[in-house]
Amino acid sequence: MANEKSSFKLFIYGVLILVLFLAFVQLFVNGSGLFFTLELIGFLGLGFLVLLGFIAYKDGWGENLFFFVFLAYLGNLVLLWTFNGTLYATLGLLSVIGFLLSFPRKKESKKLTPKQEEPHSMVFDPVVTKALTKHSPGKYVASSKSNIYHAPKCEWAKKIKKDRQTWFAEKEDAWESGYKAHQCVE
Ligand SMILES: [Zn+2]
């Protein structure tokens, strides 16, 4: 599993965000009037997104929220620089690091070429299949391009594109439609 790597990344995010947010408070806590209000709203808004980001991190899209938070933080620094003339270089650097770290990669499902998605091609990439895990409106699924059906949890089943999925409620239904069971079907 790639979990070790992603929890390390999550740790980096945690540290970056903690430092940035502590500094954020310092930036506006002594301010007043509209500046204080706007920064406070920004702070709370971003804080909420960060919280959501940590909750959703395992689902993948939490990282996109971090990306937005770093971007907004950077934008805030630029605004401060423009209007107050104060450049917070260290904070800028930290948020750029976070920004680059969380920069959204191309959707992994786009990497799938028609050949790779075939249930029994030789190409097998668990990272790609993971992104395609989805709902299962039946008990067994087959690709319209093959004659083999799978349990939805099977790695091959997850490779089948949505528009090529054929679902069966029972093994018998699949059998009658001319499909054979993959070894993943007990
Ligand atoms: Zn299978």
Side-chain angles (χ1 to χ4, degrees):
M1 296 289 274
N3 269 344
E4 204 169 296
K5 201 178 162 194
S6 76
S7 26
F8 176 70
K9 217 171 163 191
L10 187 62
F11 173 74
I12 301 285
Y13 284 135
V15 172
L16 274 176
I17 287 168
L18 188 69
V19 171
L20 287 174
F21 273 68
L22 286 177
F24 198 162
V25 175
Q26 300 297 316
L27 285 183
F28 73 87
V29 76
N30 293 319
S32 59
L34 188 61
F35 170 75
F36 178 82
T37 313
L38 285 178
E39 292 289 296
L40 182 65
I41 292 171
F43 179 79
L44 293 177
L46 289 187
F48 178 68
L49 288 181
V50 163
L51 198 66
L52 267 185
F54 277 110
I55 293 170
Y57 188 77
K58 283 263 179 278
D59 297 334
W61 55 274
E63 202 168 13
N64 295 345
L65 288 179
F66 290 156
F67 174 73
F68 178 78
V69 168
F70 288 122
L71 189 67
Y73 196 99
L74 205 56
N76 189 40
L77 289 180
V78 170
L79 283 178
L80 287 175
W81 187 20
T82 313
F83 293 106
N84 292 359
T86 329
L87 174 61
Y88 301 96
T90 314
L91 295 179
L93 188 68
L94 287 178
S95 43
V96 166
I97 292 173
F99 173 82
L100 293 177
L101 198 63
S102 59
F103 197 86
R105 280 150 201 73
K106 272 186 199 151
K107 277 254 183 298
E108 277 175 337
S109 55
K110 277 188 189 159
K111 277 193 224 152
L112 281 180
T113 63
K115 197 169 182 175
Q116 278 177 309
E117 110 206 3
E118 282 315 298
H120 294 98
S121 76
M122 297 306 287
V123 189
F124 185 80
D125 182 355
V127 179
V128 172
T129 58
K130 213 176 165 186
L132 287 177
T133 311
K134 47 187 169 291
H135 70 293
S136 41
K139 266 162 83 182
Y140 304 101
V141 63
S143 165
S144 55
K145 289 212 150 189
S146 97
N147 64 339
I148 305 212
Y149 71 92
H150 303 266
K153 64 175 193 292
C154 173
E155 291 302 326
W156 295 114
K158 292 169 189 170
K159 285 187 177 229
I160 304 171
K161 264 198 180 171
K162 209 168 193 172
D163 54 0
R164 292 210 181 121
Q165 289 174 355
T166 310
W167 287 91
F168 301 103
E170 297 299 338
K171 290 178 196 173
E172 286 75 11
D173 300 341
W175 181 257
E176 275 164 26
S177 306
Y179 287 87
K180 293 193 181 96
H182 183 230
Q183 60 189 31
C184 62
V185 179
E186 288 105 12

